[in-house]
Amino acid sequence: MSHTKMWCKTRQVMVLITSMLLWEVGSESIQYAMLEETESGTFVANLTKDLGLRVGELAARDARVVFKGNRQYLQLDPQAQDLVLNENLDREELCGSTEPCVLSFRVLLKNPLQFYQAELRVIDINDHAPEFPAREMLLKISEIAPPGKIFPLKMAQDLDTGSHSIQSYTVSDNPHFHVLTRNRSDGKKFPELVLDKALDREKQDQLRLKLTAVDGGSPPRSGTTEIQILVLDINDNAPEFAQELYEVQVPENNPIGSLLITVSARDLDIGSFGEVSYGLSQDDDVNEPFEINTKTGEIRLKSTLDFEAFQSYHVDVEALDGGGLTGKCSLVVQVLDVNDNAPEVILSSLNSPIPENLPGIIVAVFSVSDADSGNNQQVMCSIDDNLPFLLRPSMENFYTLETDGALDRESRTEYNITITVTDMGTPRLTTQHTITVQVSDVNDNAPAFTQTSYTLFVHENNSPALHIGTISATDSDSGSNAHITYSLLLPQDKQLTLTSLVSINADNGQLFALRALDYEALQAFEFRVDATDQGSPALSSQVLVRVVVLDDNDNAPFVLYPMQNASAPCTELLPRAAEPGYLVTKVVAVDRDSGQNAWLSFQLLKATEPGLFSVWAHNGEVRTTRLLSERDVPKHRLLLLVKDNGEPPRSASFTLHVLLVNGFSQPYLPLPEVARDPAQEEDVLTLYLVIALASVSSLFLVSVLLFVGVRLCRKAGETSLGGCSVPEGHFPGHLVDVSGTGTLSQSYQYEVCLTGGTGTNEFKFLKPVLPNFLNEGGYRNTEENSNFRDSLGFS
């Protein structure tokens, strides 16, 4: 009981002493020491103080403790950030017979990346007692064995090392033997039994001795076995080996059953005393992978070797003759390393996803190791050259994986990076470790429209809220950075006008016409659409949109000449002497529509005398088709039709009266059938010419004054010419400007010239004398359209 209390107190004192921090002056590594079997959670060190860091910096920099392999012997206390034991340490399990037992580890800090080399030495305690391989050993000793004869004994095993291992052997008191404690080449101690006094089989044929092995612990521990000695009759010679020490080198990949070496011993005796058999005396703490042929002495492998587990074996070989005498030699087997372990990659830290456009980001921290030795342990580490990453060695066997320049998520969102580690052994072994790195999005791309500009077509007279087209943009970013909102970009002075025409869906870019459009008022208009993403900062793009209004056939033709008046239908004069094809009149009509909707054709629907007149379909000219005769009635009524080329077609009809005369003066200037003086007729003709010349001059002067008045009205910004007066005359007052919209390029006026006498009478079409007229029906000229377009800011 007192022995146990003393041991516990001694252990507690040693834990307190050895858990102190040990610094090596001038060394980069920090060394700590801890007794084995110390309880988990025991305080080891204050890392903050040892590393010279600020309080809380370990947690802020995500400190980690990294050991080789998968076991974590130490950990950081999450609260105090102290270094504490993570598990109970068993020195014999960790290091076996190796002394000192040192566990290397590293302290990894981030932001910035920093490593600290450290070591934890596990100090042995005397927790194992010596043990013999068997409870009893049998020795056969000849009775003629001389005093001083040495007999080898099987050694005890102690898993502890250093001073806690076996230090001495003792044997129970007896008059014949004592024990010598010898040192083996590997430092272990083994016993030899020395004969002090000759044996006499006749007096005592056997002896029983107690052999004790004692270690150097405080207090010491011991183990015992019993030696049974049989005293034999005379067998003068013991077997003797040719060598006291055999050495052999064996590659670790030698197959099972392969021959390592053959040992040989001889015995000078004859008969059964000269027959030798062989056996191995192996350490029980090591499952030695050897077997020996008891007759030939051939030593072969019975299990595979592993250089990484044991680099050498020390085996005792015994030779036993038929008389019970033994001989002994030692065999040292050196295991040679072969490259049978592939390198190992241990990932310590992985940063994923990483933002695009930022160079030099540390993606991962990892270490590489190889359990082989020499060149077989040297490794090369690499990644694919085509990837925008690079490897940087940071310290012993540690590497950092960093971005080599800025990444572009739109080009590639994910990288599978294969880390290839190859050792320098023969043959070379390779390990590959693949890590996946995601690239997170940064709002670095503005929306892009699918077209450089958009032209949309919509028919006039459309229904309100009609979908006229879709403006589409894409954003190569992702998430909210790719969510696009559409809006109209309108000048401040035109915003009210345009917003009454169109609107846009902010989510999908659909454009709608808010009201019915009129081609005759507005043929086209332009505006810009803005596409803005939801990133931070938000990026935007604009595109030009042009809306073209298509004409529908919504206007019927309008006859300008001859002028229609219900109270006084238009009457044309036709001389009876007219030749076939004589031009009676030219019908002038316009259509406010455009294109084929404004292509007009003319048709004679009904006539007083069919076959006398015809109308040309394309120009509206009414001509005679034959010679007139006295039997033709003097007055003819023609029903004409003018029709456009729209779908469905629209038309207008009108009535034309044609009066047959012998001369233009006959209906209005009836003269008595009397003889005239030639001189008087010449004077009358001169008077007519003077009157005609004065009329033409007056008409030209009025035209010039009207033209100047129109120009002045336009400069005054008036939208119509309703304020300008037109001199009354025999021309229709409701003619309009049809520039660009009808079948003629400009409006025409016609003058009927009547010439008295029997000379050739003509119905002359003179050149136009006025460029534009206004009608009373409210038709607007092209300048009105121009003013409207100017008010919207379009060309």
Side-chain angles (χ1 to χ4, degrees):
M1 184 69 175
S2 60
H3 179 80
T4 303
K5 290 182 177 180
M6 183 180 298
W7 161 247
C8 293
K9 291 181 179 179
T10 304
R11 177 180 175 128
Q12 291 174 357
V13 173
M14 293 192 68
V15 168
L16 293 174
I17 294 175
T18 58
S19 63
M20 296 175 60
L21 172 65
L22 302 176
W23 291 85
E24 284 190 6
V25 180
S27 173
E28 294 183 357
S29 64
I30 308 171
Q31 293 186 350
Y32 300 99
M34 181 62 62
L35 291 178
E36 66 169 328
E37 301 299 336
T38 303
E39 293 182 358
S40 174
T42 301
F43 172 83
V44 176
N46 186 335
L47 269 184
T48 301
K49 179 179 179 182
D50 295 344
L51 300 181
L53 303 175
R54 299 186 304 275
V55 175
E57 188 173 354
L58 286 176
R61 295 178 63 183
D62 192 16
R64 296 185 183 180
V65 177
V66 181
F67 281 86
K68 290 183 178 179
N70 296 324
R71 297 186 63 177
Q72 195 74 13
Y73 303 109
L74 299 176
Q75 67 176 358
L76 287 174
D77 186 298
Q79 302 297 329
Q81 292 295 303
D82 291 329
L83 192 63
V84 297
L85 280 179
N86 191 41
E87 64 181 57
N88 291 350
L89 303 180
D90 187 349
R91 193 206 66 79
E92 289 72 33
E93 178 187 350
L94 295 174
C95 300
S97 60
T98 303
E99 185 63 26
C101 180
V102 177
L103 303 177
S104 298
F105 66 93
R106 294 171 177 84
V107 179
L108 169 65
L109 300 180
K110 298 181 180 178
N111 303 320
L113 182 64
Q114 193 172 5
F115 293 88
Y116 291 93
Q117 182 90 15
E119 295 178 350
L120 175 64
R121 179 176 178 182
V122 182
I123 299 176
D124 184 45
I125 63 174
N126 193 23
D127 56 341
H128 295 88
E131 292 183 4
F132 285 90
R135 292 183 179 182
E136 184 177 272
M137 287 187 287
L138 177 64
L139 290 180
K140 297 178 180 180
I141 302 176
S142 175
E143 63 179 354
I144 64 170
K149 178 72 173 178
I150 298 175
F151 302 93
L153 300 174
K154 291 184 178 180
M155 61 184 291
Q157 302 298 327
D158 193 329
L159 296 180
D160 296 322
T161 60
S163 62
H164 296 154
S165 63
I166 297 174
Q167 300 297 314
S168 63
Y169 292 87
T170 60
V171 70
S172 58
D173 292 339
N174 68 91
H176 295 283
F177 298 93
H178 74 274
V179 171
L180 292 178
T181 302
R182 301 281 191 180
N183 290 324
R184 208 166 66 172
S185 60
D186 60 357
K188 293 185 177 182
K189 301 182 183 296
F190 64 94
E192 290 183 338
L193 190 63
V194 181
L195 181 61
D196 294 328
K197 181 181 178 180
L199 299 174
D200 186 351
R201 182 180 177 278
E202 287 69 29
K203 290 183 180 180
Q204 189 177 5
D205 61 351
Q206 68 176 1
L207 291 83
R208 285 189 174 273
L209 304 177
K210 184 178 182 181
L211 179 63
T212 303
V214 182
D215 63 21
S218 178
R221 292 189 172 206
S222 62
T224 62
T225 187
E226 191 174 68
I227 304 174
Q228 182 181 5
I229 301 174
L230 299 179
V231 182
L232 303 177
D233 279 336
I234 297 175
N235 183 16
D236 301 31
N237 297 284
E240 292 184 0
F241 284 93
Q243 298 175 220
E244 291 185 359
L245 177 64
Y246 290 87
E247 294 182 328
V248 65
Q249 293 181 335
V250 184
E252 62 175 327
N253 62 346
N254 259 23
I256 296 175
S258 60
L259 177 65
L260 302 184
I261 195 171
T262 301
V263 297
S264 176
R266 73 175 184 168
D267 194 313
L268 297 178
D269 294 323
I270 60 175
S272 63
F273 292 141
E275 293 179 358
V276 178
S277 62
Y278 300 94
L280 296 179
S281 176
Q282 305 185 56
D283 297 342
D284 280 358
D285 63 333
V286 178
N287 186 18
E288 292 180 345
F290 310 111
E291 61 183 2
I292 190 169
N293 189 309
T294 58
K295 292 182 180 181
T296 64
E298 293 179 346
I299 300 177
R300 297 179 180 273
L301 280 177
K302 70 175 181 180
S303 61
T304 56
L305 301 177
D306 187 0
F307 174 84
E308 288 70 41
F310 295 98
Q311 290 79 43
S312 64
Y313 296 88
H314 194 107
V315 183
D316 290 331
V317 183
E318 291 183 348
L320 178 67
D321 63 15
L325 298 180
T326 61
K328 180 183 178 183
C329 73
S330 295
L331 172 64
V332 176
V333 180
Q334 295 289 339
V335 182
L336 301 180
D337 183 40
V338 295
N339 194 26
D340 59 344
N341 291 281
E344 183 181 8
V345 178
I346 301 176
L347 189 65
S348 300
S349 174
L350 176 63
N351 181 19
S352 178
I354 58 176
E356 62 176 331
N357 298 341
L358 293 180
I361 299 177
I362 296 178
V363 178
V365 179
F366 63 93
S367 63
V368 296
S369 61
D370 195 310
D372 295 318
S373 63
N375 287 336
N376 299 333
Q377 192 181 33
Q378 302 300 316
V379 296
M380 296 185 302
C381 189
S382 64
I383 59 174
D384 191 348
D385 292 337
N386 296 326
L387 296 176
F389 299 89
L390 53 86
L391 288 177
R392 293 187 187 277
S394 56
M395 60 179 300
E396 180 185 2
N397 297 330
F398 269 84
Y399 293 85
T400 59
L401 178 66
E402 302 178 7
T403 57
D404 184 16
L407 303 181
D408 184 9
R409 190 205 64 83
E410 289 69 41
S411 299
R412 191 166 178 178
T413 61
E414 178 181 287
Y415 292 89
N416 291 318
I417 306 170
T418 300
I419 302 171
T420 303
V421 183
T422 305
D423 63 24
M424 305 302 293
T426 303
R428 295 189 175 185
L429 299 180
T430 298
T431 296
Q432 291 186 330
H433 185 86
T434 301
I435 60 176
T436 300
V437 178
Q438 304 285 341
V439 182
S440 60
D441 186 48
V442 174
N443 192 27
D444 56 348
N445 291 279
F449 288 94
T450 56
Q451 299 176 209
T452 57
S453 63
Y454 290 82
T455 300
L456 306 178
F457 298 91
V458 57
H459 283 273
E460 65 174 328
N461 303 319
N462 57 282
S463 60
L466 175 69
H467 175 225
I468 62 175
T470 300
I471 308 301
S472 178
T474 59
D475 195 314
S476 53
D477 293 319
S478 64
S480 61
N481 296 334
H483 183 73
I484 298 175
T485 300
Y486 299 90
S487 61
L488 297 177
L489 283 182
L490 306 174
Q492 291 297 326
D493 54 342
K494 310 298 188 301
Q495 185 171 2
L496 183 60
T497 303
L498 276 178
T499 52
S500 66
L501 294 177
V502 293
S503 67
I504 190 167
N505 188 310
D507 296 324
N508 55 28
Q510 292 183 346
L511 280 171
F512 298 90
L514 296 181
R515 62 179 176 85
L517 301 177
D518 184 4
Y519 173 84
E520 288 71 35
L522 180 65
Q523 287 78 43
F525 57 94
E526 295 177 350
F527 55 91
R528 287 188 175 272
V529 172
D530 175 84
T532 303
D533 60 30
Q534 303 301 310
S536 179
L539 302 178
S540 63
S541 299
Q542 294 84 39
V543 70
L544 178 66
V545 180
R546 177 178 175 85
V547 178
V548 177
V549 182
L550 301 178
D551 182 45
D552 282 345
N553 193 26
D554 57 344
N555 292 282
F558 181 79
V559 179
L560 298 179
Y561 184 85
M563 178 178 60
Q564 297 297 297
N565 192 328
S567 60
C570 180
T571 301
E572 296 291 343
L573 304 181
L574 174 63
R576 289 183 175 272
E579 298 291 333
Y582 182 85
L583 178 63
V584 179
T585 186
K586 182 178 178 67
V587 180
V588 179
V590 295
D591 194 313
R592 296 183 61 205
D593 296 320
S594 64
Q596 68 177 13
N597 295 331
W599 296 350
L600 302 181
S601 60
F602 301 87
Q603 182 180 354
L604 178 60
L605 295 180
K606 187 176 181 181
T608 302
E609 186 172 342
L612 178 59
F613 300 96
S614 67
V615 61
W616 287 21
H618 300 295
N619 59 10
E621 293 181 351
V622 179
R623 295 179 180 269
T624 60
T625 59
R626 61 177 173 82
L627 290 173
L628 299 176
S629 65
E630 294 297 332
R631 290 177 298 176
D632 291 325
V633 296
K635 186 176 181 181
H636 293 263
R637 181 177 179 273
L638 305 180
L639 180 61
L640 299 174
L641 175 73
V642 57
K643 179 174 65 175
D644 61 25
N645 199 38
E647 184 63 35
R650 291 176 176 268
S651 62
S653 62
F654 62 96
T655 301
L656 175 66
H657 290 179
V658 177
L659 183 63
L660 302 183
V661 296
N662 291 325
F664 283 142
S665 60
Q666 183 176 353
Y668 304 101
L669 303 174
L671 298 176
E673 295 292 333
V674 295
R676 294 187 176 89
D677 183 63
Q680 185 179 1
E681 292 181 358
E682 185 175 338
D683 292 338
V684 172
L685 180 60
T686 302
L687 178 62
Y688 288 162
L689 291 177
V690 171
I691 294 173
L693 181 60
S695 300
V696 171
S697 300
S698 301
L699 184 61
F700 176 77
L701 179 60
V702 170
S703 300
V704 171
L705 292 176
L706 181 61
F707 179 79
V708 173
V710 170
R711 286 298 184 181
L712 292 177
C713 290
R714 287 181 179 177
K715 288 184 181 181
E718 294 183 1
T719 57
S720 67
L721 298 178
C724 298
S725 59
V726 179
E728 295 184 357
H730 58 277
F731 298 106
H734 56 281
L735 298 181
V736 298
D737 179 17
V738 292
S739 298
T741 60
T743 58
L744 299 177
S745 61
Q746 51 187 328
S747 60
Y748 285 82
Q749 294 180 351
Y750 298 90
E751 180 182 6
V752 179
C753 297
L754 302 178
T755 304
T758 59
T760 301
N761 296 324
E762 289 185 333
F763 182 80
K764 296 183 180 180
F765 287 87
L766 304 180
K767 65 179 181 179
V769 296
L770 287 180
N772 293 293
F773 286 95
L774 298 176
N775 69 346
E776 297 176 355
Y779 288 94
R780 288 165 290 184
N781 59 19
T782 57
E783 186 175 358
E784 279 187 88
N785 295 337
S786 175
N787 291 337
F788 181 78
R789 290 193 296 269
D790 291 343
S791 68
L792 292 179
F794 305 130
S795 57

